[in-house]
Amino acid sequence: MQEFPEINQFLKPDCVIDLGIVSKEEALMTLVETLCKSQKIENCHLVKQAIIARESLMSTGIGFGIAIPHARFDFLDHFIVGMARCKNGINYESMDKKTN
């Protein structure tokens, strides 16, 4: 049976942020900037473009107040995981139409 890594192997404390009331775009950009700074990613502009491009295909809001924005990059050979929390929620255009 294949073992899968646990999220705590990838999610570092400096990649978890709390947001005030923000738009979806602001939330994405703030999270990407945090990840780039924490992980010392030099291509932050490219990461931002890829996340926005992926989000424009279809919302990564999966419902129940959760969204999983993501993208793949040739220059990374490992996962980078971040988490943003917004107490008041964000209109993330999820399929269940609830504020994430």
Side-chain angles (χ1 to χ4, degrees):
M1 183 174 179
Q2 182 180 2
E3 288 199 30
F4 293 98
E6 304 229 353
I7 194 159
N8 65 354
Q9 292 178 294
F10 303 105
L11 185 60
K12 307 300 179 201
D14 60 344
C15 294
V16 177
I17 59 174
D18 286 300
L19 302 171
I21 298 173
V22 295
S23 69
K24 175 180 171 177
E25 292 76 21
E26 289 173 304
L28 287 170
M29 293 305 99
T30 302
L31 184 56
V32 168
E33 288 169 7
T34 300
L35 292 172
C36 287
K37 185 183 231 182
S38 165
Q39 301 294 313
K40 297 175 177 53
I41 297 171
E42 294 178 15
N43 300 324
C44 196
H45 182 70
L46 181 64
V47 173
K48 287 178 183 180
Q49 286 180 321
I51 292 289
I52 294 292
R54 168 58 187 89
E55 201 64 39
S56 71
L57 295 174
M58 181 180 192
S59 175
T60 57
I62 62 171
F64 304 101
I66 300 170
I68 307 175
H70 59 280
R72 287 186 179 201
F73 303 96
D74 291 337
F75 60 87
L76 292 175
D77 62 355
H78 59 283
F79 285 111
I80 295 177
V81 178
M83 185 174 96
R85 301 176 288 208
C86 186
K87 188 174 187 176
N88 297 319
I90 297 170
N91 181 359
Y92 212 89
E93 303 160 1
S94 295
M95 303 210 39
D96 65 0
K97 307 287 188 224
K98 294 181 181 176
T99 300
N100 292 355

